[in-house]
Amino acid sequence: MEITFVGTGDAFGSGGRFQTCIRVEAEGHTVLVDCGATTLTAFKAQGMDPQQVDAVAISHLHADHFGGLPFLILDGQFTRRTKPLTILGPHGTEARLLALMEACYPLSTSVRRRFDVEVIELTGDGRSEQAGPLTLRAWEVDHASGAPALALNATIGDRTFGYSGDTAWTAALTPASAETDLFACEAYTYDSPVPFHLAYSTILENHNLLPAAELILTHMGPTVLGRLDTLEFAAACDGLRRSI
């Protein structure tokens, strides 16, 4: 499984980073874990082809995590994409996506495309959903976004990538990280409490409750980016590639 951290930044572009998007590739299948508003730009800056994307797994419905979907879909329309696209996200994903597309590009939801877009809404109770060779599991976490927020893990073949999404510390992170080969965990602040987010200090205190083979930090704000040389865990950067 090849993991590319396409975007590792927060909602505000701290450090000049793109918003959250992680590309997972295995067995000829390409999945995006989150699709922030800057995703299409990041893809093209990094020389990647959006048409290769088979599925998008969304952790929650904030624009820095799902706001790139209208651009991904319209890019497919204008490049004559024919490959179906599957979107998996929390309850409310389909309605919010339609509203966002209409807000960005009125009448875009009524256009007939050459490819199908299927939306699968996740239960958030650890139950699995299948999309081609992808098995996706989701656990509800603690992040207010007008819809359930989820931690995710994506399995293709015998490898599993996990992701915390945005969340305060919650017991759901333990099953979400269990049996993952690589678990990406948000570290928005260094040690300051911010509602619905994780601080690096909290991760450090509780990392024994994250039973992943390896932990890597992402979605970092200024206080973490300014102290990268002090971190005890690896920190992702835009364009970082890892094989697991």
Side-chain angles (χ1 to χ4, degrees), residues 81-100:
R81 176 187 176 121
T82 57
K83 178 190 291 190
L85 179 67
T86 303
I87 297 168
L88 306 99
H91 178 71
T93 295
E94 185 166 22
R96 191 85 71 90
L97 174 59
L98 293 174
L100 179 62

Side-chain angles (χ1 to χ4, degrees), residues 42-66:
F43 250 65
K44 296 188 176 183
Q46 295 172 28
M48 295 184 291
D49 183 2
Q51 292 209 40
Q52 293 179 349
V53 177
D54 297 286
V56 183
I58 299 296
S59 67
H60 66 285
L61 302 183
H62 277 154
D64 57 317
H65 292 262
F66 100 114

Side-chain angles (χ1 to χ4, degrees), residues 59 141 150-152 162-167 173 176 183-187 198 218:
S59 67
V141 293
L150 306 172
L152 303 170
Y163 173 52
S164 67
D166 286 2
T167 181
L173 294 176
F183 187 73
C185 191
E186 81 135 344
L198 282 168
T218 189

